[in-house]
Amino acid sequence: MSAQCAVLDVGKTHVKLHVIDEQLTSRFSRGRDNPVIEAGLYPHYDIDDLWYWICKALTEAAAHFDINVIAVTTHGAAAALVHPKVGESGLVLPIMDYEFTDVACDSDYQAIRPPFTETYSPALPLGLNLGRQLFWQQRHCQQAFDNAQYILPYPQYWAWRLTRVAVAEVSSWGCHTDLWQPTTGDYSAVVDSLGIRAKLPPLVHAGDVIGTVTAEVSAQTGLPRKCQVIAGLHDSNASYLRYLHRKTPFTVVSTGTWVISFSTATEMTALVEQQDMLANVDINGHPVACARFMGGREFEQICRQTGSDPQSGFTEADLHQLIEKPVFALPDFSGGSGPFGGRDPECQAGARNGTALASLYCALMLDYELELLQAQGDIIVEGVWLRDLLQCRLLAQLRPEQPVLLSRDETGTVTGAAQLALNVGRRRQELVAVEPTHIRGLDRYRSDWRANLAEK
């Protein structure tokens, strides 16, 4: 039987488990929401319930497929403080939800943050800088913090649960944490200011096999004892790695709760901290210029404010109505992220179809970010935007000089992680060029939308 890979994809909003074959085809999938527990020391992820669900899904998968290897990919801005002797979870403290508001109240943290030009991590709201979370936990939960043997990036925590082997890798440390210097390939001064260098596990490549599942996991799930586990990686980087073989400039747009644009043509010197531009670090340790906004969250908020179902459809006629009136949605609907983070949102009355307005808003935001990045070449869209063809077609009309290409695979993070785990090498991605819309007045609408922002 050919090799099969199980991929655990832990997103901020949803969790998925897929079985992927050597042709990078999904053969099995299960999914669930990812709620946050608000009680306790601080808002945190329900790790015990997630683990129960993961083991149940793996049990079901193992009954039908010969799973040889497991890969984990997760959202960023999360880490686990672990001691192997602390129960099954190993957690000495809960894994903090990065939207915990009080974590930003420790203004002393700013004094130990290196300049943006060293870490290329912008000063982000809430706990979106992982270093800020660790600073808060050390200050407010010092005894438990000191008892941790390891500080594990979130993907490597789940790899540790499967193998009991502690490692880390650069795409996770280099994800706006304040903890990594992308241009030198080393930890930042924040690590030594917190005195945590000894708690950081060995660095390995994201695709390295770190061990096999434990006897306990094997017995619980039916996975073969020889089933290997790779180190794992940050989710947007899993989408991006599929295109690393390209020689000409391009931009990968990873879409979900976050819309993150990875631009290969952009120099680090072009990044502007105040506009939520940053450097992510690819699996090989190379910095890549990025811009981002919380597109999935903002889409839902606009729909909610207009009384619309986010799952409902819309037509070009709906877009025409919005543009002719015109009706605008103006940022920020995320609570502090993106190029206009911190502004008071405005959702003007008169939108008959809120999903059309939300899609138009997201297309305009992405167009603006691509301009900030001075993006060149193909624009490759991955993730949930593939369900909204009109939104992608709007982007193509807004960017007439750049081809907008759609992945055929909605689960780019899963496929990228599987490609790494199965070691199938470079695969030519099947991309489809999207036909732009031909909506009258769109350029004028964009100009007016930006003019409204300039006046705020």
Side-chain angles (χ1 to χ4, degrees):
M1 184 180 293
S2 63
Q4 310 277 339
C5 172
V7 177
L8 173 62
D9 180 6
V10 183
K12 181 66 170 71
T13 309
H14 301 289
V15 182
K16 296 173 285 190
L17 188 130
H18 283 255
V19 175
I20 307 293
D21 64 21
E22 286 185 310
Q23 285 69 49
L24 301 180
T25 301
S26 178
R27 304 284 303 280
F28 169 98
S29 66
R30 294 292 180 268
R32 56 161 285 171
D33 291 337
N34 190 15
V36 170
I37 298 174
E38 299 292 340
L41 293 169
Y42 44 75
H44 58 279
Y45 303 111
D46 193 346
I47 296 301
D48 289 340
D49 189 55
L50 265 180
W51 179 247
Y52 172 80
W53 179 87
I54 290 165
C55 289
K56 183 179 177 182
L58 284 171
T59 300
E60 190 177 354
H64 296 90
F65 300 95
D66 182 15
I67 298 173
N68 310 94
V69 61
I70 299 174
V72 182
T73 180
T74 78
H75 65 80
L81 284 86
V82 164
H83 195 289
K85 295 183 179 179
V86 179
E88 187 180 7
S89 75
L91 294 173
V92 301
L93 284 169
I95 298 179
M96 184 183 291
D97 172 23
Y98 63 62
E99 294 188 88
F100 176 39
T101 55
D102 288 359
V103 75
C105 296
D106 279 318
S107 57
D108 292 348
Y109 175 70
Q110 191 63 29
I112 69 170
R113 291 189 74 243
F116 177 68
T117 51
E118 288 186 19
T119 64
Y120 290 100
S121 293
L124 298 174
L126 308 173
L128 283 163
N129 296 120
L130 180 58
R132 187 181 293 278
Q133 293 183 37
L134 297 176
F135 183 88
W136 190 96
Q137 290 172 312
Q138 187 180 60
R139 173 169 285 191
H140 296 275
C141 314
Q142 185 172 358
Q143 183 174 351
F145 189 96
D146 290 345
N147 287 340
Q149 183 173 342
Y150 302 116
I151 299 174
L152 301 177
Y154 201 27
Q156 285 76 56
Y157 169 70
W158 292 113
W160 178 84
R161 287 295 295 265
L162 291 163
T163 64
R164 271 347 201 217
V165 177
V167 298
E169 59 80 46
V170 293
S171 79
S172 299
W173 283 143
C175 172
H176 53 81
T177 62
D178 287 344
L179 304 174
W180 190 255
Q181 297 186 76
T183 55
T184 64
D186 195 7
Y187 295 109
S188 77
V190 173
V191 167
D192 294 315
S193 295
L194 295 175
I196 60 174
R197 190 175 286 264
K199 297 181 183 294
L200 305 182
L203 284 170
V204 300
H205 188 272
D208 285 352
V209 173
I210 64 170
T212 59
V213 297
T214 64
E216 292 78 10
V217 169
S218 177
Q220 187 172 355
T221 63
L223 287 167
R225 185 70 175 84
K226 64 182 179 180
C227 178
Q228 298 178 329
V229 180
I230 66 167
L233 71 166
H234 172 232
D235 53 8
S236 295
N237 264 286
S239 290
Y240 178 68
L241 74 84
R242 304 166 71 202
Y243 305 98
L244 288 175
H245 62 280
R246 283 180 157 239
K247 303 300 182 185
T248 56
F250 64 94
T251 300
V252 173
V253 183
S254 176
T255 64
T257 301
W258 291 93
V259 175
I260 306 177
S261 301
F262 290 69
S263 171
T264 63
T266 306
E267 298 292 336
M268 297 298 109
T269 52
L271 299 177
V272 179
E273 178 178 13
Q274 292 76 18
Q275 293 183 303
D276 210 348
M277 302 175 76
L278 64 150
N280 271 290
V281 177
D282 71 20
I283 59 170
N284 298 316
H286 302 137
V288 54
C290 297
R292 60 185 211 148
F293 68 104
M294 212 170 186
R297 176 71 55 79
E298 296 199 86
F299 186 97
E300 291 176 354
Q301 289 294 328
I302 293 170
C303 289
R304 185 173 294 115
Q305 291 191 28
T306 55
S308 302
D309 179 359
Q311 303 302 318
S312 63
F314 63 97
T315 66
E316 287 198 38
D318 295 315
L319 294 169
H320 276 291
Q321 288 181 343
L322 293 170
I323 288 169
E324 286 173 2
K325 278 197 171 183
V327 179
F328 296 108
L330 302 171
D332 161 39
F333 295 91
S334 70
S337 299
F340 305 103
R343 297 192 184 205
D344 292 330
E346 182 180 348
C347 201
Q348 296 178 350
R352 294 184 182 179
N353 190 312
T355 55
L357 182 61
S359 290
L360 184 54
Y361 171 89
C362 286
L364 288 167
M365 284 287 286
L366 179 52
D367 170 61
Y368 184 81
E369 293 207 328
L370 292 170
E371 188 171 302
L372 290 178
L373 285 167
Q374 303 165 37
Q376 300 175 28
D378 294 344
I379 299 167
I380 303 167
V381 179
E382 292 265 357
V384 299
W385 275 32
L386 299 177
R387 303 174 194 169
D388 189 346
L389 181 59
L390 263 180
Q391 184 167 273
C392 297
R393 293 183 62 205
L394 274 171
L395 178 65
Q397 183 176 345
L398 290 165
R399 311 290 300 180
E401 302 303 318
Q402 292 182 266
V404 175
L405 307 178
L406 307 186
S407 170
R408 288 186 179 272
D409 178 8
E410 190 178 307
T411 56
T413 55
V414 170
T415 308
Q419 182 175 324
L420 196 63
L422 291 168
N423 195 26
V424 294
R426 297 171 179 172
R427 289 290 177 93
R428 182 178 179 84
Q429 303 302 325
E430 292 189 37
L431 300 172
V432 180
V434 66
E435 178 69 23
T437 52
H438 302 283
I439 296 176
R440 297 185 308 275
L442 182 59
D443 287 343
R444 173 185 50 78
Y445 182 90
R446 171 173 54 185
S447 297
D448 291 345
W449 183 80
R450 292 188 179 186
N452 272 283
L453 285 171
E455 292 171 4
K456 288 187 74 176

